[in-house]
Amino acid sequence: MTGIAYVVMGVSGCGKSTVGRALAARLELTFQDGDRLHPETNIARMSRGEPLTDADRGPWLKAVAAALRPGTVMACSALRRQYRDLLREFAPADVLFIYLHGTREKLLERMRHREGHFMPVALLDSQLATLEEPEPDERHLKVGIAPPTAEIVATIGSRTNQTICPNGHGGGI
């Protein structure tokens, strides 16, 4: 595999899409939102406040993995180790996970103030219960969500030692 794909991960409300878009813009890479790859049945379940099962997530995760091309920044919850393992196994690029974490209170505040998203606030606790933080043997960065987006992106950039170049094939950690 050559090149790197970034997966901006975490629970709902952590800023995956916002940070992912900003990171992709800074690095001149392609951004994709993994939520757009969910089948309609998954979106309908979550909209009704029903958590997804592993069986629900399987096809979606494979679609996300297939889209992880070198030079891609993908927003994807990737809450459990087995989901990240699947992404690494099926992605046609090396994967670096950017884990955005914050307090439950901060996440609730963000979720209450966003508009037009299918994920209800009621599912946050389910996501927090499902979350398995990346382990030391997983290639990842852990970044807090309290600072402004520009500062979060600058932190990610400095911690990855990424050479900012148009094709996205700079260094990694």
Side-chain angles (χ1 to χ4, degrees):
M1 287 186 271
T2 60
I4 190 167
Y6 299 88
V7 175
V8 182
M9 62 161 286
V11 298
S12 187
C14 71
K16 295 180 295 288
S17 298
T18 301
V19 170
R21 277 189 196 92
L23 180 63
R26 176 177 173 161
L27 300 178
E28 298 181 27
L29 303 177
T30 302
F31 174 75
Q32 290 194 49
D33 194 327
D35 283 346
R36 295 181 188 263
L37 300 174
H38 270 295
E40 287 298 319
T41 54
N42 284 5
I43 292 171
R45 285 191 72 158
M46 290 183 285
S47 295
R48 291 190 304 265
E50 299 172 20
L52 297 180
T53 66
D54 286 348
D56 297 325
R57 288 185 181 100
W60 169 66
L61 288 166
K62 287 182 181 173
V64 169
L68 284 173
R69 303 276 179 231
T72 300
V73 176
M74 176 75 72
C76 173
S77 54
L79 297 176
R80 298 182 69 199
R81 170 74 184 244
Q82 73 183 49
Y83 307 159
R84 296 186 297 275
D85 288 346
L86 186 146
L87 293 175
R88 278 189 292 272
E89 179 181 350
F90 290 100
D94 283 331
V95 178
L96 174 63
F97 291 93
I98 310 292
Y99 167 44
L100 301 179
H101 70 97
T103 65
R104 181 179 183 276
E105 293 73 26
K106 181 72 167 174
L107 295 163
L108 280 171
E109 174 189 324
R110 286 178 167 206
M111 289 180 77
R112 287 183 180 127
H113 290 97
R114 68 182 180 182
E115 296 178 16
H117 198 280
F118 61 84
M119 180 67 85
V121 173
L123 285 181
L124 178 60
D125 287 332
S126 170
Q127 287 213 326
L128 289 169
T130 301
L131 176 66
E132 297 171 0
E133 291 195 0
E135 297 289 331
D137 67 323
E138 294 182 81
R139 189 173 185 204
H140 76 282
L141 297 176
K142 183 176 179 178
V143 182
I145 63 169
T149 301
E151 189 176 324
I152 293 170
V153 170
T155 298
I156 294 167
S158 67
R159 289 181 59 197
T160 61
N161 297 317
Q162 173 70 43
T163 302
I164 300 175
C165 57
N167 66 9
H169 294 290
I173 57 172

